[in-house]
Amino acid sequence: MLSALARPAGAALRRSFSTSAQNNAKVAVLGASGGIGQPLSLLLKNSPLVSRLTLYDIAHTPGVAADLSHIETRANVKGYLGPEQLPECLKGCDLVVIPAGVPRKPGMTRDDLFNTNATIVATLTAACAQHCPEAMICVIANPVNSTIPITSEVFKKHGVYNPSKIFGVTTLDVVRANTFVAELKGLDPARVNVPVIGGHAGKTIIPLISQCTPKVDFPQDQLTTLTGRIQEAGTEVVKAKAGAGSATLSMAYAGARFVFSLVDAINGKEGVVECSFVKSQETDCPYFSTPLLLGKKGIEKNLGIGKVSPFEEKMIADAIPELKASIKKGEEFVKNMK
């Protein structure tokens, strides 16, 4: 089922640069001046799918917007600065991407980011619930395992919750899995597709190598190493940047890929499949990432976990307690908000 629907990884991103279709997506980036926000905004500005790009942050957005506005593509770009300008930034948006928040530094876990980023996400999503309640919400801000439950609870509080339109962007895990498998097997990474399920931190990241297209096989020791590398790839970048940041460029690419897939689906393209961390009944976790068939209204169908190997089954079982704890933490945060 999945392999028939899944298209080659990254196809949406490349297609967005070459398509002649004149589409009119209105996209907002919240946290547009940051390490992910700037390259993400550049990729969105470069796409003919986007007609209006509104950029929000608490510093530097007029400069980022002025810089991007000189690019010879059709998207109209405008920058908004500070909380008082946020409502205007969101009005009429079809899709909001939220890379805002503090990045990981060496030695930091995604949980260390929780308190700062939880507040940021709760504030920004409350504004979305008020000013663009119908928009698709794509959350990049970590820890995604908690920030998606936060987003859902905030939308519930405002009485505009639609689980089909709230997405935790886990695409970077898929992009990494595709790249690392392709490197090991000498394949074109654009033609590799590895579904990655679960969550978006450490052992909750579960690459289903057994479902990879094209089919690949690894001896168990190599499979264990490869899986560990996919799970800890974020830390690999944090260490390599030696305190100067986290995965920003690859995350911007992955965020853009997800946005373009969603816009394609909104525009009526059929068979668009992406993995994402969403409200789910596929396991006894209330949120779980699986391949989703996207449609005009967001999630058209959850394609589920599918057939997994015993190795993958064990990873799923090991991930669930950690996922449940992260989800509960997000939900409790909103309950205790003043």
Side-chain angles (χ1 to χ4, degrees):
M1 166 71 173
L2 178 59
S3 56
L5 284 165
R7 24 170 198 63
L13 192 55
R14 283 187 300 283
R15 186 175 57 257
S16 72
F17 296 156
S18 60
T19 180
S20 58
Q22 294 294 290
N23 296 302
N24 293 301
K26 298 177 179 71
V27 182
V29 179
L30 310 185
S33 303
I36 296 167
Q38 288 200 46
L40 173 60
S41 300
L42 173 62
L43 291 169
L44 295 173
K45 170 64 175 138
N46 203 26
S47 169
L49 295 172
V50 179
S51 62
R52 191 188 81 186
L53 184 59
T54 53
L55 309 179
Y56 172 81
D57 216 318
I58 51 170
H60 312 305
T61 20
V64 175
D67 196 356
L68 287 175
S69 72
H70 294 180
I71 293 171
E72 55 181 0
T73 57
R74 64 191 286 261
N76 185 280
V77 185
K78 194 161 180 201
Y80 296 85
L81 194 61
E84 61 290 339
Q85 292 187 7
L86 181 54
E88 193 54 39
C89 174
L90 293 170
K91 270 183 197 142
C93 280
D94 303 307
L95 205 144
V96 180
V97 200
I98 308 180
V102 295
R104 272 169 79 198
K105 294 190 169 58
M108 274 176 96
T109 65
R110 284 181 172 86
D111 257 7
D112 295 335
L113 304 176
F114 179 82
N115 289 328
T116 305
N117 286 0
T119 306
I120 292 168
V121 170
T123 307
L124 294 176
T125 52
C128 294
Q130 288 166 281
H131 302 290
C132 55
E134 293 293 309
M136 307 281 175
I137 309 296
C138 306
V139 180
I140 289 171
N142 271 319
V144 166
N145 295 355
S146 300
T147 55
I148 285 302
I150 287 171
T151 303
S152 297
E153 294 304 313
V154 166
F155 269 70
K156 283 179 195 171
K157 269 193 171 179
H158 286 85
V160 290
Y161 177 56
N162 180 348
S164 295
K165 292 187 170 186
I166 294 173
F167 300 92
V169 180
T170 59
T171 318
L172 183 51
D173 301 323
V174 176
V175 166
R176 285 166 165 160
N178 295 342
T179 303
F180 300 165
V181 166
E183 278 173 5
L184 289 170
K185 292 293 184 187
L187 298 166
D188 172 359
R191 305 212 167 277
V192 176
N193 188 31
V194 180
V196 181
I197 65 165
H200 185 57
K203 70 177 182 186
T204 70
I205 298 168
I206 303 161
L208 300 181
I209 310 282
S210 71
Q211 293 181 19
C212 177
T213 33
K215 191 158 174 46
V216 291
D217 282 307
F218 294 99
Q220 187 57 49
D221 58 338
Q222 200 177 11
L223 184 62
T224 305
T225 306
L226 170 62
T227 301
R229 187 180 175 207
I230 294 163
Q231 291 175 331
E232 293 304 323
T235 307
E236 189 178 307
V237 177
V238 168
K239 281 182 180 162
K241 288 194 175 180
S246 58
T248 52
L249 301 172
S250 53
M251 185 62 245
Y253 167 89
R257 171 181 151 172
F258 187 78
V259 168
F260 297 143
S261 288
L262 206 41
V263 173
D264 273 345
I266 294 166
N267 288 336
K269 183 175 168 60
E270 292 185 359
V272 180
V273 175
E274 290 284 358
C275 295
S276 178
F277 187 68
V278 296
K279 187 80 179 119
S280 171
Q281 293 170 326
E282 298 302 314
T283 65
D284 60 350
C285 270
Y287 297 84
F288 203 81
S289 180
T290 45
L292 308 169
L293 179 63
L294 302 175
K296 290 188 176 188
K297 294 179 179 173
I299 301 170
E300 194 162 293
K301 188 180 181 197
N302 193 321
L303 300 176
I305 293 169
K307 189 169 180 288
V308 296
S309 69
F311 175 66
E312 292 160 350
E313 203 169 314
K314 184 179 185 311
M315 283 197 286
I316 295 167
D318 289 348
I320 283 178
E322 186 179 316
L323 265 178
K324 283 184 173 171
S326 300
I327 291 162
K328 188 162 188 278
K329 194 172 179 180
E331 291 173 339
E332 293 293 323
F333 179 83
V334 178
K335 281 199 186 95
N336 299 325
M337 268 168 62
K338 301 227 172 358

